[in-house]
Amino acid sequence: MEENKSNIQCNENISGSDPEKNWVNDSIKCMIQLLNIFFSAIEKKWLNLLTSTDNSIKTNMYELCHLLSTIIHDIDPDTEIAEQIAWMEPKLEKENDHIAMIEGKELQIALLESKISENDKLIAEIEPKIKDQDKQISMLEAQIKLMINEKDDLIENHEEHKAIIKNKDDQIAMLISDIKDINRQINKKDQTISKLNKQIQVYYKMHTKYEPKIKLIRFPSLEPFKPTWDNKIAGPGWIVIQRRTDGSISFDKNWNAWKDGFGDPNGDFWLGLERLHRITTYQQHELYIHMVNHNMKTRFAQYNNFVVGSVDEKYELKSLGSYKGDAGDEMRACEKSVFSVYYGLWNPYNSRPQM
């Protein structure tokens, strides 16, 4: 055993450029030396045991051990190692490639695990927001459902209201039709009444002579006068205040003549401003203007509140009231004007100042 110990030496300085090959060569040499030592020891042990056992078994075991020891001693370490290295190199390269591939996969796995970890963090951060959004979506869905129900109710009510409105429209249309029929009947009756009134007026003018009860009109501090009545032009009861028909009387008069009156009551004449003042201020009177052109076509203008002022007011035309007729509201320009002798009427350019 002491002799064999000196043989267990591994050459670590084998020439060669590949460190991995040198290391494998040294490892194999060391293993061979260990096997030599091992089998030598077994051989010695068996030699010591041969004295007390069967000779055939002893011989066979001894020969076996000696054979194994001889085979090991006969191996050329350099030749066998070189062949084994040559045989192992492609496998080592494949293993290295496989290891490199595994290392690459492991790196990819590490990167993926890192990304998975980051994604897990993001998911953990996003999950509360998603839950909040789910709650909001649920609330919105509930609101939408409520709004849809309200819309359906409104549509149903709208349809009912449409039916009611249509019924009312039909009733209104019927009422309008009835009103039109009534208006047509009224128009027919108005036309009939108008015709009858005209016939009555014609008959009245032809067969009635107006005889007023008042023969003289009296006012304090004014000489009584007999008015001229007309019951043909506008109906009975009208006092004629002016008539101009044939030009037989000149109306170019002074102030006193216009104040006291002049002319022929049966022809052209003027009643007088003072008399007009007393009559129109005593009670409400209307003014009726009747005009006839050279073609004998007539026009009229009628006012419902005719008032003439006093001499101190220069017989101002204080009021005319509302107008009706077909001659035009030309007298309206004279309202609030004083009487002009020069023009023989109320001068619109000579108005009294309004206070």
Side-chain angles (χ1 to χ4, degrees), residues 6-42:
S6 61
N7 294 327
I8 304 174
Q9 294 179 357
C10 297
N11 187 5
E12 297 179 357
N13 296 317
I14 299 174
S15 61
S17 60
D18 191 342
E20 188 174 355
K21 291 180 179 180
N22 293 335
W23 178 81
V24 172
N25 192 11
D26 291 342
S27 297
I28 292 171
K29 285 182 178 182
C30 289
M31 289 177 67
I32 292 171
Q33 291 175 1
L34 287 172
L35 289 172
N36 286 327
I37 295 169
F38 173 73
F39 283 109
S40 296
I42 289 174

Side-chain angles (χ1 to χ4, degrees), residues 63-259:
E63 289 177 356
L64 178 61
C65 291
H66 181 73
L67 178 62
L68 289 173
S69 177
T70 303
I71 292 170
I72 292 170
H73 282 291
D74 290 340
I75 293 174
D76 185 354
D78 292 332
T79 303
E80 295 294 330
I81 290 171
E83 290 177 355
Q84 292 176 9
I85 289 172
W87 176 76
M88 292 177 66
E89 275 182 349
K91 293 186 177 182
L92 289 173
E93 289 178 359
K94 289 182 179 180
E95 290 297 327
N96 288 335
D97 294 338
H98 183 66
I99 291 168
M101 183 180 68
I102 291 172
E103 289 177 350
K105 295 293 182 180
E106 288 177 350
L107 180 60
Q108 291 179 1
I109 291 169
L111 292 174
L112 289 172
E113 287 178 348
S114 176
K115 290 182 179 180
I116 290 169
S117 178
E118 292 177 358
N119 289 334
D120 289 338
K121 290 180 181 178
L122 290 174
I123 290 169
E125 293 176 357
I126 292 171
E127 276 182 349
K129 296 181 180 179
I130 292 173
K131 290 181 180 179
D132 292 337
Q133 289 180 354
D134 289 339
K135 290 181 181 179
Q136 294 178 0
I137 290 169
S138 299
M139 293 174 63
L140 289 173
E141 287 177 347
Q143 293 178 359
I144 291 169
K145 185 176 180 181
L146 180 62
M147 292 173 69
I148 290 171
N149 293 333
E150 291 177 351
K151 187 188 81 169
D152 293 338
D153 293 339
L154 288 173
I155 290 171
E156 184 177 355
N157 294 332
H158 178 66
E159 294 298 329
E160 293 178 358
H161 291 158
K162 280 176 67 177
I164 294 171
I165 291 169
K166 186 178 183 303
N167 187 20
K168 295 295 183 183
D169 288 340
D170 293 340
Q171 293 179 4
I172 291 169
M174 292 176 62
L175 291 173
I176 290 172
S177 177
D178 293 341
I179 290 169
K180 288 181 179 179
D181 292 339
I182 293 170
N183 285 332
R184 282 193 292 268
Q185 294 175 8
I186 291 171
N187 289 333
K188 288 181 180 179
K189 290 182 179 180
D190 287 341
Q191 292 174 3
T192 303
I193 291 169
S194 178
K195 288 180 181 179
L196 291 173
N197 284 333
K198 288 180 181 179
Q199 292 175 2
I200 290 170
Q201 289 179 5
V202 171
Y203 180 84
Y204 185 83
K205 290 177 182 179
M206 291 176 64
H207 301 282
T208 303
K209 183 178 180 181
Y210 181 71
E211 294 291 342
K213 294 180 180 180
I214 300 175
K215 302 296 182 180
L216 292 175
I217 295 178
R218 302 175 186 272
F219 290 103
S221 67
L222 184 66
E223 184 179 353
F225 64 95
K226 183 179 179 180
T228 300
W229 301 93
D230 185 274
N231 63 336
K232 295 181 179 181
I233 296 174
W238 290 90
I239 299 173
V240 180
I241 64 175
Q242 177 179 273
R243 184 187 294 119
R244 298 183 69 169
T245 57
D246 54 9
S248 59
I249 299 295
S250 173
F251 281 74
D252 185 10
K253 303 294 183 180
N254 59 24
W255 176 256
N256 288 331
W258 283 102
K259 175 185 176 183

Side-chain angles (χ1 to χ4, degrees), residues 273-290:
L273 290 169
E274 186 62 28
R275 292 172 182 171
L276 276 177
H277 164 63
R278 298 297 182 92
I279 292 171
T280 57
T281 56
Y282 176 70
Q283 66 181 29
Q284 184 175 345
H285 280 73
E286 294 183 63
L287 174 66
Y288 188 94
I289 303 170
H290 178 74

